């Protein structure tokens, strides 16, 4: 970077420096805002917990559905076996 020699060049360099300084201050303020960062982390964790709870709830519902279906399937199989035995007995 060359050294500015005229007043307008100096003024322009001062404006650029102020802009960079302002951006740096904003970044530092964001890092120093512990409450906002903690709130954002808490929101993130809450969303993750809600997602996991929904997934677990879905798994439980599926498990309960399967638990209630297998006796029905066993009963149907048993009835089919009895019907087959009766048909076989009548033919024989």
């Amino acid at each position: 970077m060359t050294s500015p020699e005229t007043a307008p060049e100096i003024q322009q360099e001062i404006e650029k420096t102020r802009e960079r300084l302002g951006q740096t201050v904003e970044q530092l303020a964001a890092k120093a805002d512990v409450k906002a960062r903690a709130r954002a982390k808490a929101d993130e964790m809450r969303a993750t917990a809600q997602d996991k709870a929904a997934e677990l709830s879905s798994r439980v519902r599926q498990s309960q559905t399967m638990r209630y279906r297998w006796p029905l399937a066993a009963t149907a199989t048993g009835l089919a076996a009895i019907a087959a035995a009766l048909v076989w007995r009548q033919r024989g």
Side-chain angles (χ1 to χ4, degrees):
M1 185 158 121
T2 61
S3 172
E5 298 188 11
T6 64
E9 289 175 340
I10 293 172
Q11 186 64 33
Q12 188 178 20
E13 187 65 29
I14 290 171
E15 291 302 319
K16 286 180 185 179
T17 302
R18 282 183 181 160
E19 188 175 320
R20 285 194 309 263
L21 182 60
Q23 291 172 351
T24 302
V25 168
E26 286 177 10
Q27 291 171 351
L28 289 173
K31 283 186 178 183
D33 191 356
V34 176
K35 274 187 175 181
R37 290 174 54 200
R39 195 175 308 118
K41 186 66 174 176
D43 290 343
E44 179 185 328
M45 292 176 75
R46 185 178 307 113
T48 301
Q50 287 173 341
D51 290 345
K52 289 191 185 262
E55 181 182 340
L56 182 60
S57 176
S58 174
R59 284 185 183 177
V60 167
R61 270 188 255 115
Q62 287 176 348
S63 174
Q64 288 174 344
T65 301
M66 292 305 294
R67 182 176 25 185
Y68 294 126
R69 283 186 183 171
W70 81 263
L72 179 62
T75 302
T77 303
L79 290 174
I82 292 171
L86 289 173
V87 170
W88 180 73
R89 187 173 170 187
Q90 286 181 354
R91 288 188 183 175

Coordinates of all heavy atoms in Angstrom, one line a residue:
M1 N 0.8 -1.2 0.0 CA 0.0 0.0 0.0 C 0.9 1.2 0.0 O 1.8 1.3 0.8 CB -0.9 0.0 1.2 CG -1.9 1.0 1.3 SD -3.2 0.5 2.4 CE -3.2 1.8 3.6
T2 N 0.6 2.1 -0.9 CA 1.4 3.3 -1.0 C 0.9 4.4 -0.1 O -0.3 4.4 0.3 CB 1.5 3.8 -2.5 OG1 0.1 4.1 -2.9 CG2 2.1 2.8 -3.4
S3 N 1.7 5.3 0.2 CA 1.3 6.4 1.1 C 0.5 7.4 0.3 O 1.0 7.9 -0.7 CB 2.6 7.0 1.7 OG 2.2 8.1 2.4
P4 N -0.7 7.8 0.8 CA -1.5 8.8 0.1 C -0.8 10.2 0.2 O -0.3 10.5 1.2 CB -2.8 8.8 0.8 CG -2.6 8.1 2.1 CD -1.4 7.3 2.0
E5 N -0.9 10.9 -0.9 CA -0.2 12.2 -0.9 C -1.1 13.4 -0.9 O -0.6 14.5 -0.5 CB 0.8 12.2 -2.1 CG 1.8 11.1 -2.0 CD 2.9 11.2 -3.0 OE1 3.0 12.2 -3.7 OE2 3.7 10.3 -3.1
T6 N -2.3 13.2 -1.4 CA -3.1 14.4 -1.5 C -4.2 14.3 -0.4 O -4.5 13.2 0.1 CB -3.8 14.5 -2.9 OG1 -4.6 13.4 -3.0 CG2 -2.8 14.6 -4.0
A7 N -4.9 15.4 -0.1 CA -5.9 15.5 0.9 C -7.1 14.6 0.5 O -7.6 13.9 1.4 CB -6.4 16.9 1.1
P8 N -7.6 14.5 -0.7 CA -8.7 13.6 -1.0 C -8.3 12.1 -0.8 O -9.1 11.3 -0.4 CB -9.0 13.9 -2.5 CG -8.5 15.3 -2.7 CD -7.3 15.4 -1.8
E9 N -7.1 11.8 -1.1 CA -6.6 10.4 -0.9 C -6.5 10.1 0.5 O -6.9 9.0 1.0 CB -5.2 10.2 -1.6 CG -5.3 10.2 -3.1 CD -3.9 10.1 -3.7 OE1 -2.9 10.5 -3.0 OE2 -3.8 9.8 -4.9
I10 N -6.1 11.1 1.3 CA -6.0 10.9 2.8 C -7.4 10.7 3.3 O -7.6 9.8 4.2 CB -5.3 12.0 3.5 CG1 -3.8 12.0 3.0 CG2 -5.4 11.9 5.0 CD1 -3.0 13.3 3.5
Q11 N -8.3 11.5 2.9 CA -9.7 11.4 3.4 C -10.3 10.1 3.0 O -11.0 9.5 3.8 CB -10.5 12.6 2.8 CG -11.9 12.7 3.3 CD -12.0 13.0 4.8 OE1 -11.1 13.7 5.3 NE2 -12.9 12.5 5.5
Q12 N -10.1 9.6 1.8 CA -10.6 8.3 1.3 C -10.0 7.2 2.2 O -10.7 6.3 2.6 CB -10.3 8.1 -0.1 CG -10.9 6.9 -0.8 CD -10.6 6.8 -2.2 OE1 -9.6 7.4 -2.7 NE2 -11.4 6.0 -2.9
E13 N -8.7 7.3 2.5 CA -8.1 6.2 3.3 C -8.7 6.2 4.7 O -8.9 5.2 5.3 CB -6.6 6.5 3.4 CG -5.8 5.4 4.0 CD -5.9 4.1 3.3 OE1 -6.0 4.0 2.1 OE2 -5.8 3.0 4.0
I14 N -9.0 7.4 5.3 CA -9.6 7.5 6.6 C -11.0 6.9 6.6 O -11.4 6.1 7.5 CB -9.7 9.0 7.0 CG1 -8.3 9.6 7.3 CG2 -10.6 9.2 8.2 CD1 -8.2 11.1 7.6
E15 N -11.8 7.1 5.5 CA -13.1 6.5 5.4 C -13.0 5.0 5.4 O -13.8 4.3 6.0 CB -13.9 7.1 4.2 CG -14.3 8.5 4.3 CD -15.1 8.8 5.5 OE1 -16.1 8.0 5.8 OE2 -14.9 9.8 6.2
K16 N -12.1 4.5 4.6 CA -11.9 3.0 4.5 C -11.6 2.4 5.9 O -12.1 1.4 6.3 CB -10.9 2.7 3.5 CG -11.3 2.8 2.0 CD -10.2 2.5 1.1 CE -10.5 2.7 -0.3 NZ -9.4 2.4 -1.2
T17 N -10.7 3.1 6.6 CA -10.2 2.7 7.9 C -11.4 2.7 8.9 O -11.6 1.7 9.6 CB -9.1 3.5 8.4 OG1 -8.0 3.5 7.4 CG2 -8.6 3.1 9.7
R18 N -12.2 3.7 8.8 CA -13.4 3.8 9.7 C -14.4 2.7 9.4 O -14.9 2.1 10.3 CB -14.1 5.1 9.5 CG -13.4 6.3 10.2 CD -14.2 7.6 10.0 NE -13.6 8.7 10.7 CZ -13.8 9.9 10.4 NH1 -14.7 10.3 9.5 NH2 -13.1 10.9 11.0
E19 N -14.6 2.4 8.2 CA -15.5 1.3 7.8 C -15.0 -0.1 8.3 O -15.7 -0.8 8.9 CB -15.6 1.2 6.3 CG -16.7 0.3 5.8 CD -16.9 0.3 4.3 OE1 -16.9 1.4 3.7 OE2 -17.1 -0.8 3.7
R20 N -13.7 -0.3 8.1 CA -13.1 -1.6 8.6 C -13.2 -1.6 10.2 O -13.5 -2.7 10.7 CB -11.7 -1.7 8.2 CG -11.5 -2.1 6.7 CD -10.1 -2.5 6.4 NE -9.1 -1.6 6.8 CZ -8.5 -0.7 6.1 NH1 -8.9 -0.5 4.8 NH2 -7.6 0.1 6.6
L21 N -12.9 -0.5 10.8 CA -13.0 -0.5 12.2 C -14.4 -0.7 12.7 O -14.6 -1.4 13.7 CB -12.5 0.9 12.7 CG -12.4 1.1 14.3 CD1 -11.5 0.1 14.9 CD2 -12.0 2.5 14.6
G22 N -15.4 -0.1 12.1 CA -16.8 -0.3 12.4 C -17.2 -1.8 12.3 O -17.9 -2.3 13.2
Q23 N -16.7 -2.5 11.2 CA -17.0 -3.9 11.1 C -16.4 -4.7 12.2 O -17.0 -5.6 12.7 CB -16.6 -4.4 9.7 CG -17.4 -3.8 8.5 CD -16.8 -4.1 7.2 OE1 -15.6 -4.7 7.1 NE2 -17.5 -3.8 6.1
T24 N -15.2 -4.4 12.5 CA -14.5 -5.1 13.6 C -15.2 -4.9 14.9 O -15.3 -5.9 15.7 CB -13.0 -4.6 13.7 OG1 -12.4 -4.8 12.4 CG2 -12.2 -5.4 14.8
V25 N -15.6 -3.7 15.2 CA -16.3 -3.5 16.4 C -17.6 -4.3 16.5 O -18.0 -4.8 17.5 CB -16.6 -1.9 16.6 CG1 -17.6 -1.7 17.8 CG2 -15.3 -1.2 16.9
E26 N -18.4 -4.3 15.4 CA -19.6 -5.1 15.3 C -19.3 -6.6 15.6 O -20.1 -7.2 16.3 CB -20.3 -4.9 14.0 CG -20.9 -3.6 13.8 CD -21.5 -3.4 12.4 OE1 -21.6 -4.4 11.6 OE2 -21.9 -2.3 12.1
Q27 N -18.3 -7.1 15.0 CA -17.9 -8.5 15.2 C -17.5 -8.8 16.7 O -18.0 -9.8 17.2 CB -16.8 -8.9 14.3 CG -17.1 -9.0 12.8 CD -15.9 -9.2 11.9 OE1 -14.8 -9.1 12.3 NE2 -16.2 -9.4 10.6
L28 N -16.8 -7.9 17.2 CA -16.4 -8.0 18.7 C -17.6 -7.9 19.6 O -17.7 -8.7 20.5 CB -15.3 -7.0 19.0 CG -13.9 -7.2 18.5 CD1 -13.1 -6.0 18.8 CD2 -13.3 -8.5 19.0
A29 N -18.5 -7.0 19.3 CA -19.7 -6.9 20.1 C -20.6 -8.1 20.0 O -21.1 -8.6 21.0 CB -20.5 -5.7 19.6
A30 N -20.7 -8.7 18.8 CA -21.4 -10.0 18.7 C -20.8 -11.1 19.5 O -21.5 -11.9 20.1 CB -21.5 -10.4 17.2
K31 N -19.5 -11.2 19.5 CA -18.8 -12.2 20.3 C -19.0 -11.9 21.8 O -19.0 -12.9 22.6 CB -17.4 -12.3 19.9 CG -17.1 -13.0 18.6 CD -15.6 -13.1 18.4 CE -15.3 -13.9 17.1 NZ -13.9 -14.1 16.9
A32 N -19.0 -10.7 22.2 CA -19.1 -10.4 23.6 C -20.5 -10.5 24.1 O -20.7 -10.5 25.3 CB -18.6 -8.9 23.8
D33 N -21.5 -10.5 23.3 CA -22.9 -10.6 23.7 C -23.2 -12.1 24.1 O -23.8 -12.9 23.4 CB -23.9 -10.2 22.6 CG -25.3 -10.0 23.0 OD1 -25.6 -10.3 24.2 OD2 -26.1 -9.6 22.2
V34 N -22.9 -12.4 25.4 CA -23.0 -13.7 25.9 C -24.5 -14.1 26.0 O -24.8 -15.3 25.7 CB -22.3 -13.8 27.3 CG1 -22.5 -15.2 27.9 CG2 -20.8 -13.5 27.1
K35 N -25.3 -13.2 26.4 CA -26.8 -13.6 26.5 C -27.3 -14.0 25.1 O -28.0 -15.0 25.1 CB -27.6 -12.4 27.0 CG -27.6 -12.2 28.4 CD -28.6 -11.1 28.8 CE -28.8 -11.0 30.3 NZ -29.7 -9.9 30.6
A36 N -27.0 -13.3 24.1 CA -27.6 -13.6 22.8 C -27.0 -15.0 22.3 O -27.7 -15.8 21.7 CB -27.2 -12.5 21.8
R37 N -25.7 -15.2 22.5 CA -25.1 -16.4 22.1 C -25.7 -17.6 22.9 O -25.9 -18.7 22.4 CB -23.6 -16.4 22.3 CG -22.9 -15.4 21.3 CD -21.5 -15.2 21.5 NE -20.7 -16.5 21.5 CZ -19.5 -16.6 22.1 NH1 -18.9 -15.5 22.6 NH2 -18.9 -17.7 22.1
A38 N -25.9 -17.4 24.2 CA -26.5 -18.5 25.0 C -27.9 -18.7 24.6 O -28.4 -19.9 24.5 CB -26.5 -18.1 26.5
R39 N -28.7 -17.7 24.3 CA -30.0 -17.9 23.8 C -30.1 -18.6 22.5 O -30.9 -19.5 22.3 CB -30.7 -16.5 23.7 CG -32.2 -16.5 23.5 CD -32.8 -15.1 23.5 NE -32.4 -14.3 24.6 CZ -31.7 -13.1 24.5 NH1 -31.4 -12.7 23.3 NH2 -31.4 -12.4 25.5
A40 N -29.2 -18.3 21.6 CA -29.1 -19.0 20.3 C -28.8 -20.5 20.5 O -29.4 -21.3 19.9 CB -28.1 -18.3 19.4
K41 N -27.8 -20.7 21.4 CA -27.5 -22.1 21.7 C -28.6 -22.9 22.3 O -28.9 -24.0 22.0 CB -26.2 -22.2 22.6 CG -25.7 -23.6 22.8 CD -25.1 -24.1 21.5 CE -24.4 -25.5 21.8 NZ -24.0 -26.1 20.6
A42 N -29.3 -22.2 23.2 CA -30.5 -22.9 23.9 C -31.6 -23.2 22.8 O -32.2 -24.2 22.9 CB -31.0 -22.0 25.0
D43 N -31.8 -22.2 21.9 CA -32.8 -22.5 20.9 C -32.4 -23.6 20.0 O -33.2 -24.5 19.6 CB -33.0 -21.2 20.0 CG -33.7 -20.1 20.7 OD1 -34.3 -20.3 21.8 OD2 -33.6 -18.9 20.3
E44 N -31.1 -23.7 19.7 CA -30.6 -24.8 18.9 C -30.8 -26.1 19.6 O -31.3 -27.1 19.0 CB -29.1 -24.6 18.5 CG -28.5 -25.7 17.7 CD -27.0 -25.4 17.6 OE1 -26.6 -24.2 17.5 OE2 -26.2 -26.4 17.5
M45 N -30.5 -26.2 20.8 CA -30.6 -27.4 21.6 C -32.1 -27.8 21.8 O -32.4 -29.0 21.7 CB -30.0 -27.2 23.0 CG -28.4 -27.1 22.9 SD -27.7 -26.8 24.5 CE -27.8 -28.4 25.2
R46 N -33.0 -26.8 22.0 CA -34.4 -27.1 22.1 C -34.9 -27.7 20.8 O -35.7 -28.7 20.8 CB -35.2 -25.8 22.4 CG -36.6 -26.0 22.7 CD -37.4 -24.7 23.0 NE -36.7 -24.0 24.1 CZ -36.1 -22.8 24.0 NH1 -36.1 -22.2 22.9 NH2 -35.6 -22.2 25.0
A47 N -34.5 -27.2 19.7 CA -35.0 -27.7 18.4 C -34.5 -29.1 18.2 O -35.2 -30.0 17.7 CB -34.5 -26.8 17.2
T48 N -33.2 -29.4 18.6 CA -32.7 -30.7 18.5 C -33.5 -31.7 19.4 O -33.8 -32.8 19.0 CB -31.2 -30.7 18.9 OG1 -30.5 -29.9 18.0 CG2 -30.6 -32.1 18.8
A49 N -33.8 -31.3 20.6 CA -34.5 -32.1 21.5 C -35.9 -32.4 21.0 O -36.4 -33.5 21.1 CB -34.6 -31.5 22.9
Q50 N -36.6 -31.4 20.4 CA -37.9 -31.6 19.8 C -37.9 -32.6 18.7 O -38.7 -33.4 18.6 CB -38.5 -30.3 19.4 CG -38.9 -29.4 20.5 CD -39.3 -28.0 20.1 OE1 -39.0 -27.6 19.0 NE2 -40.1 -27.3 20.9
D51 N -36.8 -32.5 17.8 CA -36.7 -33.4 16.7 C -36.5 -34.9 17.2 O -37.2 -35.8 16.7 CB -35.5 -33.1 15.8 CG -35.8 -31.8 15.0 OD1 -36.9 -31.3 15.0 OD2 -34.8 -31.2 14.5
K52 N -35.7 -35.0 18.2 CA -35.4 -36.3 18.8 C -36.7 -36.9 19.5 O -37.0 -38.1 19.4 CB -34.2 -36.3 19.7 CG -32.9 -36.1 19.0 CD -31.8 -36.4 19.9 CE -30.5 -36.0 19.2 NZ -29.8 -37.2 18.7
A53 N -37.4 -36.0 20.2 CA -38.7 -36.5 20.8 C -39.7 -36.9 19.8 O -40.4 -37.9 20.0 CB -39.2 -35.3 21.7
A54 N -39.8 -36.2 18.7 CA -40.7 -36.6 17.7 C -40.3 -37.9 17.0 O -41.2 -38.8 16.8 CB -40.8 -35.5 16.6
E55 N -39.1 -38.1 16.8 CA -38.6 -39.4 16.3 C -38.9 -40.5 17.2 O -39.3 -41.6 16.8 CB -37.1 -39.3 16.0 CG -36.5 -40.5 15.4 CD -35.0 -40.4 15.2 OE1 -34.4 -39.3 15.1 OE2 -34.4 -41.5 15.1
L56 N -38.6 -40.3 18.5 CA -38.8 -41.4 19.5 C -40.3 -41.7 19.6 O -40.7 -42.8 19.7 CB -38.3 -40.9 20.9 CG -38.4 -41.9 22.0 CD1 -37.7 -43.2 21.7 CD2 -37.9 -41.3 23.3
S57 N -41.1 -40.6 19.6 CA -42.6 -40.8 19.6 C -43.1 -41.7 18.5 O -43.9 -42.6 18.6 CB -43.3 -39.5 19.7 OG -44.7 -39.6 19.6
S58 N -42.5 -41.4 17.3 CA -42.9 -42.1 16.1 C -42.5 -43.6 16.3 O -43.2 -44.5 15.9 CB -42.2 -41.5 14.9 OG -42.4 -42.3 13.7
R59 N -41.3 -43.8 16.8 CA -40.8 -45.2 17.0 C -41.7 -46.0 18.0 O -42.0 -47.1 17.8 CB -39.4 -45.2 17.5 CG -38.4 -44.9 16.4 CD -37.0 -45.1 17.0 NE -36.0 -44.7 16.0 CZ -34.7 -44.7 16.2 NH1 -34.3 -45.0 17.4 NH2 -33.9 -44.4 15.3
V60 N -42.1 -45.3 19.0 CA -43.0 -45.9 20.1 C -44.3 -46.3 19.4 O -44.8 -47.4 19.7 CB -43.2 -45.0 21.3 CG1 -44.3 -45.4 22.2 CG2 -41.9 -44.9 22.1
R61 N -44.9 -45.3 18.7 CA -46.2 -45.6 18.0 C -46.1 -46.8 17.1 O -46.9 -47.7 17.0 CB -46.7 -44.4 17.2 CG -47.5 -43.5 18.1 CD -48.2 -42.4 17.3 NE -47.4 -41.2 17.6 CZ -46.7 -40.5 16.7 NH1 -46.6 -40.8 15.5 NH2 -46.0 -39.4 17.1
Q62 N -45.0 -46.9 16.3 CA -44.8 -48.0 15.4 C -44.6 -49.3 16.2 O -45.2 -50.4 15.8 CB -43.5 -47.8 14.5 CG -43.7 -46.8 13.5 CD -42.4 -46.5 12.7 OE1 -41.4 -47.0 13.1 NE2 -42.5 -45.8 11.6
S63 N -43.9 -49.3 17.3 CA -43.7 -50.4 18.2 C -45.0 -50.9 18.7 O -45.3 -52.1 18.8 CB -42.7 -50.1 19.3 OG -42.6 -51.2 20.2
Q64 N -45.9 -50.0 19.2 CA -47.2 -50.3 19.8 C -48.1 -50.9 18.7 O -48.8 -51.9 18.9 CB -47.8 -49.1 20.4 CG -47.2 -48.7 21.7 CD -47.7 -47.4 22.2 OE1 -48.4 -46.7 21.5 NE2 -47.5 -47.1 23.5
T65 N -48.0 -50.4 17.5 CA -48.8 -50.9 16.4 C -48.4 -52.4 16.1 O -49.3 -53.2 15.9 CB -48.6 -50.1 15.1 OG1 -49.0 -48.7 15.4 CG2 -49.4 -50.6 14.0
M66 N -47.1 -52.6 16.1 CA -46.7 -54.0 15.8 C -47.0 -54.9 17.0 O -47.4 -56.1 16.7 CB -45.1 -54.0 15.6 CG -44.7 -53.3 14.3 SD -45.5 -53.9 12.8 CE -44.8 -55.6 12.8
R67 N -47.0 -54.4 18.2 CA -47.4 -55.2 19.3 C -48.8 -55.7 19.2 O -49.2 -56.8 19.6 CB -47.1 -54.5 20.6 CG -47.4 -55.3 21.8 CD -47.1 -54.6 23.1 NE -47.1 -53.1 23.0 CZ -46.8 -52.3 23.9 NH1 -46.4 -52.8 25.1 NH2 -46.8 -51.0 23.8
Y68 N -49.7 -54.8 18.7 CA -51.1 -55.1 18.6 C -51.4 -55.9 17.4 O -52.4 -56.6 17.3 CB -52.0 -53.9 18.6 CG -51.9 -53.1 20.0 CD1 -51.6 -51.8 20.0 CD2 -52.1 -53.8 21.2 CE1 -51.5 -51.1 21.2 CE2 -52.1 -53.1 22.4 CZ -51.8 -51.8 22.4 OH -51.7 -51.1 23.6
R69 N -50.6 -55.9 16.4 CA -50.8 -56.6 15.1 C -50.4 -58.1 15.2 O -51.0 -58.9 14.6 CB -50.0 -56.0 14.0 CG -50.7 -54.7 13.5 CD -50.0 -54.2 12.3 NE -50.6 -53.0 11.8 CZ -50.0 -52.2 10.9 NH1 -48.9 -52.6 10.3 NH2 -50.6 -51.1 10.6
W70 N -49.4 -58.4 16.0 CA -48.9 -59.8 15.9 C -49.9 -60.8 16.5 O -50.1 -61.9 16.0 CB -47.5 -60.0 16.5 CG -47.5 -60.1 18.0 CD1 -47.2 -59.0 18.9 CD2 -47.7 -61.2 18.9 NE1 -47.2 -59.5 20.2 CE2 -47.5 -60.8 20.2 CE3 -48.0 -62.5 18.6 CZ2 -47.7 -61.6 21.3 CZ3 -48.1 -63.4 19.7 CH2 -48.0 -62.9 21.0
P71 N -50.7 -60.5 17.6 CA -51.7 -61.4 18.0 C -52.8 -61.6 17.0 O -53.3 -62.7 16.8 CB -52.3 -60.8 19.3 CG -51.3 -59.8 19.8 CD -50.6 -59.3 18.5
L72 N -53.1 -60.6 16.3 CA -54.1 -60.7 15.2 C -53.6 -61.6 14.1 O -54.3 -62.5 13.6 CB -54.4 -59.3 14.6 CG -55.4 -59.3 13.4 CD1 -56.8 -59.8 13.9 CD2 -55.5 -57.8 12.9
A73 N -52.3 -61.5 13.7 CA -51.7 -62.3 12.7 C -51.7 -63.8 13.2 O -52.0 -64.7 12.5 CB -50.3 -61.9 12.4
A74 N -51.3 -64.0 14.5 CA -51.3 -65.3 15.0 C -52.7 -66.0 15.1 O -52.9 -67.2 14.7 CB -50.7 -65.3 16.5
T75 N -53.7 -65.2 15.4 CA -55.1 -65.7 15.5 C -55.5 -66.1 14.1 O -56.1 -67.1 13.9 CB -56.0 -64.6 16.1 OG1 -55.5 -64.3 17.4 CG2 -57.4 -65.1 16.1
A76 N -55.2 -65.2 13.1 CA -55.6 -65.5 11.7 C -54.9 -66.7 11.2 O -55.6 -67.6 10.5 CB -55.3 -64.3 10.8
T77 N -53.7 -66.9 11.5 CA -52.9 -68.1 11.1 C -53.5 -69.4 11.8 O -53.7 -70.4 11.1 CB -51.4 -68.0 11.5 OG1 -50.9 -66.8 10.9 CG2 -50.7 -69.2 11.1
G78 N -53.9 -69.2 13.1 CA -54.5 -70.4 13.8 C -55.9 -70.7 13.1 O -56.2 -71.9 12.9
L79 N -56.7 -69.7 12.8 CA -58.0 -70.0 12.2 C -57.8 -70.6 10.8 O -58.6 -71.5 10.5 CB -58.8 -68.7 12.1 CG -59.3 -68.1 13.5 CD1 -60.0 -66.8 13.2 CD2 -60.3 -69.1 14.1
A80 N -56.8 -70.2 10.1 CA -56.6 -70.8 8.8 C -56.1 -72.2 8.9 O -56.6 -73.1 8.1 CB -55.5 -70.0 8.0
A81 N -55.3 -72.5 9.9 CA -54.9 -73.9 10.2 C -56.1 -74.8 10.5 O -56.2 -75.9 10.1 CB -53.8 -73.9 11.2
I82 N -57.0 -74.3 11.4 CA -58.1 -75.0 11.8 C -59.1 -75.3 10.6 O -59.6 -76.4 10.4 CB -58.9 -74.3 12.9 CG1 -58.1 -74.3 14.2 CG2 -60.3 -74.9 13.1 CD1 -58.6 -73.4 15.3
A83 N -59.3 -74.2 9.8 CA -60.1 -74.4 8.6 C -59.5 -75.4 7.6 O -60.2 -76.2 7.1 CB -60.3 -73.0 7.9
A84 N -58.2 -75.3 7.4 CA -57.5 -76.3 6.6 C -57.7 -77.7 7.1 O -57.9 -78.7 6.4 CB -56.1 -75.9 6.4
A85 N -57.6 -77.9 8.4 CA -57.7 -79.2 9.1 C -59.1 -79.7 8.9 O -59.4 -80.9 8.6 CB -57.3 -79.1 10.5
L86 N -60.1 -78.8 9.0 CA -61.5 -79.3 8.8 C -61.8 -79.7 7.4 O -62.5 -80.7 7.1 CB -62.5 -78.1 9.3 CG -62.6 -77.9 10.8 CD1 -63.4 -76.6 11.0 CD2 -63.1 -79.1 11.5
V87 N -61.3 -78.9 6.5 CA -61.5 -79.2 5.0 C -60.8 -80.6 4.8 O -61.3 -81.4 4.1 CB -60.9 -78.1 4.1 CG1 -60.9 -78.6 2.7 CG2 -61.8 -76.9 4.3
W88 N -59.6 -80.7 5.2 CA -58.8 -82.0 5.0 C -59.6 -83.2 5.6 O -59.6 -84.3 5.0 CB -57.4 -81.8 5.6 CG -56.6 -83.0 5.4 CD1 -56.0 -83.5 4.3 CD2 -56.2 -84.0 6.4 NE1 -55.3 -84.6 4.5 CE2 -55.4 -85.0 5.9 CE3 -56.5 -84.1 7.8 CZ2 -54.9 -86.0 6.6 CZ3 -56.0 -85.1 8.5 CH2 -55.2 -86.1 7.9
R89 N -60.1 -83.0 6.8 CA -60.9 -84.0 7.5 C -62.1 -84.4 6.7 O -62.5 -85.6 6.7 CB -61.2 -83.5 8.9 CG -61.8 -84.6 9.8 CD -61.9 -84.0 11.2 NE -62.6 -85.0 12.0 CZ -63.0 -84.8 13.2 NH1 -62.7 -83.6 13.8 NH2 -63.7 -85.6 13.9
Q90 N -62.9 -83.4 6.2 CA -64.1 -83.7 5.5 C -63.8 -84.5 4.2 O -64.6 -85.3 3.7 CB -64.9 -82.4 5.2 CG -65.6 -81.9 6.4 CD -66.4 -80.6 6.1 OE1 -66.3 -80.1 5.0 NE2 -67.1 -80.1 7.0
R91 N -62.7 -84.2 3.6 CA -62.3 -84.8 2.3 C -61.8 -86.2 2.5 O -61.9 -87.1 1.6 CB -61.3 -84.0 1.5 CG -61.9 -82.8 1.0 CD -60.9 -82.1 0.1 NE -61.4 -80.9 -0.5 CZ -60.8 -80.0 -1.2 NH1 -59.6 -80.3 -1.5 NH2 -61.4 -79.0 -1.6
G92 N -61.2 -86.4 3.7 CA -60.6 -87.7 3.9 C -61.4 -88.7 4.5 O -62.2 -89.5 4.3

